[in-house]
């Protein structure tokens, strides 16, 4: 019975779980359960922001799940092994 309680406590709210994801071919570890469009951009291109002349395309693939894309204002539930591709486009 004690083991069940310990196992339950590990998964209790407030405890951090980390997720390993791949962003533009690089392994990243994050603790957020959801990832926003702008967070994905920052993981791929630290310190950069979309602007009038620069845009980013974010696509993702979830193992044994669905593939999709994110646009500004959207988020996706993070899963281990998730692959994100973030492409930067200069509109000059």
């Amino acid at each position: 019975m004690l083991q069940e309680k310990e196992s339950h406590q590990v998964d209790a709210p407030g405890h951090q779980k980390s997720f390993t994801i791949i962003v533009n071919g690089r392994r990243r570890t994050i603790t957020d359960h959801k990832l926003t469009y702008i967070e994905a951009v920052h993981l791929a291109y630290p310190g950069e922001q979309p602007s009038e002349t620069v845009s980013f395309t974010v696509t993702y693939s979830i193992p044994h799940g669905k593939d999709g894309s994110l646009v500004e204002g959207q988020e996706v539930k993070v899963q281990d092994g998730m692959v994100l591709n973030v492409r930067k486009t200069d509109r000059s």
Side-chain angles (χ1 to χ4, degrees):
M1 192 68 155
L2 182 61
Q3 288 178 335
E4 289 178 14
K5 286 183 180 180
E6 287 176 358
S7 175
H8 178 70
Q9 288 175 351
V10 170
D11 296 330
H15 288 271
Q16 294 288 337
K17 177 182 180 349
S18 62
F19 300 94
T20 300
I21 63 174
I22 307 297
V23 181
N24 288 357
R26 293 185 177 164
R27 179 172 279 200
R28 305 284 187 190
T29 301
I30 62 172
T31 56
D32 293 330
H33 295 275
K34 293 185 179 180
L35 186 70
T36 66
Y37 166 84
I38 200 67
E39 290 169 337
V41 169
H42 289 162
L43 285 171
Y45 298 94
E48 295 202 31
Q49 295 280 0
S51 67
E52 290 182 21
T53 58
V54 177
S55 65
F56 297 91
T57 302
V58 179
T59 58
Y60 63 86
S61 176
I62 299 173
H64 311 293
K66 65 177 186 172
D67 297 345
S69 61
L70 292 174
V71 296
E72 201 159 349
Q74 289 184 325
E75 63 184 21
V76 64
K77 183 178 175 187
V78 176
Q79 294 184 24
D80 273 323
M82 179 180 209
V83 177
L84 287 115
N85 291 301
V86 183
R87 288 179 288 153
K88 179 180 176 180
T89 305
D90 186 355
R91 297 188 233 173
S92 60

